[in-house]
Amino acid sequence: MMDSLELTRAQKAAAILVAVGKPAAGRLLKFFKQEELKELMEGARRLKTIPQSELERIVAEFEEEFAEGAGLLDSADAMDTLLTENLSQDEMNAILGNATGLGMLEDTPPWGALEAIEPEPIAAFLVKEHPQTAAYVLSNLSSPIAAKVLLALTKQARGEIVKRMLSLGSVSAPARRLVERRLRAEFLETTSGKLSKQGQAKVVGVLNELDKSELDEVMGELQEAGAEDLASLKAQLFSFEDLINLTHKARVTVFDGIEIDLVTMALREANPVLVEAALSAVGARTRRMIESELAQPSDFVNPVDINKARRAIVSRTISMANDGVIQLPTAEEAA
């Protein structure tokens, strides 16, 4: 239970303003200075649900009888409504110090970020929420993602949530802000550092387009940024230089059927050890042709073409690994 002594003066004032209701609070707000209004709003955002008994204790300090019938309050959302309905847009902008209204502080919908997370943690979060809240959240997700989250819910929660989704109508702006704020503050911010399978797949696809030096640079930046589970991410990365870590059988499979010109271009300016690893995986005749081409001056070869050829071979290798045709080496094996 919240101790009223732990509340700041701004929080106590915010609680009482919410308790007295819109008409009275609207009249009172006109007498506050902009700095005071800003303190009230900040206090309300940090103010959690207040039981009736606690509200009575706060009211007693002001020697007023505001608590009767107030019950449980969502002070931050109610204060949003009080301010937006009783102050002009210019006054709101002055309080916030920017050109957005109070309800637009967090105007970026959270749904895209939510869909990048695995269904299980979303379901674990929603099962603790009111079924109406869960129904609203699922209704804003794409159908494939919502279906996966639905299957991850407990059977008891699933039936009640789907029932409410069937009858879900329009949701008021204050209610939308409240739900989206909770998603950001209590779920998305706590999971943003964790890699999801979808997020990993996207990052792996991007990083595998980089050459070795670029990849090392980005991985170093990720480590400095405190990204989690980098070992799992590294295990899915594969650069052209990693060809030497494949088994001989896997290299033969990769180079089988690749055009000679593509292999030759990819091996231009490559490490001699890497060149030998690649040439040992092709037939004797093909090897002689490639060695003959590599012996020629490469002054007019565009580095862009070399990188393009290498990425084509890397993409082929990763595709074969994903199809189970070959197996990429583990990080320990590569080391």
Side-chain angles (χ1 to χ4, degrees):
M1 182 174 292
M2 183 180 294
D3 187 350
S4 62
L5 296 178
E6 296 178 354
L7 299 179
T8 65
R9 293 179 62 187
Q11 287 176 313
K12 294 175 183 178
I16 292 175
L17 283 172
V18 171
V20 300
K22 296 180 185 178
R27 291 192 297 270
L28 290 173
L29 286 172
K30 297 294 184 180
F31 296 95
F32 284 90
K33 298 178 182 178
Q34 289 181 355
E35 294 79 7
E36 294 170 334
L37 287 172
K38 188 172 183 179
E39 286 186 27
L40 282 175
M41 191 61 242
E42 291 175 351
R45 289 195 183 283
R46 296 192 299 270
L47 197 60
K48 302 299 182 182
T49 299
I50 304 177
Q52 177 75 27
S53 59
E54 292 302 308
L55 184 58
E56 290 175 351
R57 294 175 61 182
I58 297 171
V59 172
E61 293 183 19
F62 287 89
E63 298 180 347
E64 298 285 349
E65 296 296 333
F66 294 143
E68 186 173 354
L72 300 176
L73 304 173
D74 186 312
S75 303
D77 192 60
M79 181 60 76
D80 277 0
T81 305
L82 286 174
L83 292 178
T84 53
E85 292 186 2
N86 289 282
L87 298 179
S88 67
Q89 184 64 49
D90 291 339
E91 290 173 319
M92 292 294 299
N93 293 343
I95 294 171
L96 296 171
N98 55 40
T100 62
L102 187 61
M104 297 300 289
L105 275 174
E106 299 159 333
D107 57 354
T108 303
W111 315 119
L114 196 64
E115 291 185 354
I117 299 173
E118 290 299 296
E120 289 76 14
I122 299 177
F125 175 78
L126 292 182
V127 78
K128 300 176 184 178
E129 298 296 308
H130 192 283
Q132 192 74 7
T133 300
Y136 172 71
V137 172
L138 288 180
S139 297
N140 280 278
L141 300 179
S142 64
S143 296
I145 300 298
K148 292 179 181 179
V149 174
L150 200 63
L151 292 176
L153 290 167
T154 62
K155 291 184 178 180
Q156 182 180 1
R158 190 186 308 160
E160 183 64 25
I161 291 171
V162 173
K163 182 183 73 174
R164 291 173 181 268
M165 290 177 69
L166 290 172
S167 59
L168 188 66
S170 60
V171 180
S172 65
R176 288 200 306 271
R177 289 199 301 271
L178 175 61
V179 173
E180 293 176 9
R181 184 185 301 129
R182 282 179 57 79
L183 281 172
R184 293 187 185 92
E186 300 183 23
F187 183 64
L188 291 176
E189 289 183 5
T190 62
T191 58
S192 60
K194 301 176 182 178
L195 295 176
S196 69
K197 291 181 181 178
Q198 290 177 325
Q200 280 194 10
K202 180 64 176 179
V203 171
V204 167
V206 172
L207 295 183
N208 277 327
E209 292 294 320
L210 306 178
D211 61 31
K212 181 66 173 176
S213 61
E214 294 169 334
L215 178 60
D216 291 341
E217 182 179 353
V218 173
M219 291 302 294
E221 293 169 352
L222 277 175
Q223 186 171 2
E224 291 179 4
E228 298 182 8
D229 203 14
L230 286 183
S232 174
L233 185 63
K234 289 178 181 178
Q236 302 176 67
L237 298 177
F238 187 86
S239 66
F240 186 69
E241 288 76 6
D242 290 330
L243 284 170
I244 60 176
N245 297 321
L246 293 176
T247 64
H248 178 73
K249 181 179 179 181
R251 286 199 302 272
V252 170
T253 303
V254 169
F255 284 98
D256 183 32
I258 298 183
E259 295 179 0
I260 294 178
D261 291 344
L262 181 65
V263 177
T264 303
M265 182 62 70
L267 293 178
R268 292 280 185 187
E269 302 179 6
N271 184 295
V273 176
L274 179 57
V275 172
E276 177 57 33
L279 293 181
S280 66
V282 300
R285 180 173 177 274
T286 300
R287 174 172 183 146
R288 288 194 297 270
M289 294 175 64
I290 294 176
E291 287 178 329
S292 176
E293 287 294 324
L294 291 177
Q296 302 300 318
S298 59
D299 297 340
F300 301 103
V301 177
N302 192 334
V304 174
D305 294 331
I306 295 176
N307 288 331
K308 185 178 179 180
R310 291 179 179 180
R311 284 198 297 270
I313 295 177
V314 167
S315 296
R316 175 184 174 89
T317 305
I318 294 174
S319 178
M320 286 183 168
N322 291 337
D323 292 339
V325 178
I326 63 171
Q327 184 174 356
L328 298 181
T330 65
E332 291 76 11
E333 290 172 341

